[in-house]
């Protein structure tokens, strides 16, 4: 039951890793929005905040765009997310 509760408290599992890699690249949330816009994916700073705080769902094409903008792999964004499953 605690596994389900942990998943239900989060809308996505990549939020912490997105924030980690954004900061490693020394990008502000606005910088990341600008990079995403260049890729054809307009996103607001509030969207990034909500994703990083597990309050917003992440679509598959958004995950791909994050990887392209940050020059990382999907595995990087999914690293250490097993904790969401128990």
């Amino acid at each position: 039951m605690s596994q389900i509760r942990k998943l239900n408290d989060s809308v996505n599992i990549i939020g912490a890793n997105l924030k980690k890699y954004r900061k490693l690249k020394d990008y502000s949330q606005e910088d990341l929005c600008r990079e995403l816009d260049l890729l054809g994916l307009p996103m607001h700073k509030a969207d990034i905040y909500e994703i990083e705080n597990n309050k917003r769902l992440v679509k598959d094409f958004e995950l791909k765009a994050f990887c392209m903008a940050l020059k990382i792999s999907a595995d990087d964004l999914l690293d250490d997310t097993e904790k969401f499953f128990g």
Side-chain angles (χ1 to χ4, degrees):
M1 188 61 110
S2 65
Q3 293 172 341
I4 295 171
R5 188 171 335 168
K6 203 171 209 181
L7 283 171
N8 287 341
D9 289 345
S10 296
V11 179
N12 71 67
I13 61 174
I14 68 158
N17 285 334
L18 179 63
K19 185 174 187 175
K20 175 178 99 175
Y21 285 104
R22 176 179 62 77
K23 288 186 172 207
L24 282 173
K25 295 286 183 182
D26 201 27
Y27 282 3
S28 67
Q29 291 174 339
E30 289 177 356
D31 293 333
L32 181 54
C33 289
R34 196 171 15 265
E35 292 295 318
L36 292 169
D37 194 45
L38 291 172
L39 293 170
L41 180 66
M43 194 171 278
H44 298 282
K45 186 175 138 179
D47 294 314
I48 302 299
Y49 172 84
E50 288 182 355
I51 291 168
E52 290 180 349
N53 289 282
N54 300 321
K55 297 178 186 299
R56 182 183 174 288
L57 183 69
V58 176
K59 298 172 181 133
D60 55 357
F61 61 86
E62 292 172 332
L63 184 130
K64 179 64 176 179
F66 291 143
C67 293
M68 293 171 67
L70 296 170
K71 296 176 178 57
I72 59 174
S73 71
D75 284 340
D76 291 329
L77 281 180
L78 294 169
D79 186 45
D80 196 34
T81 54
E82 295 83 11
K83 61 188 172 198
F84 287 92
F85 299 97

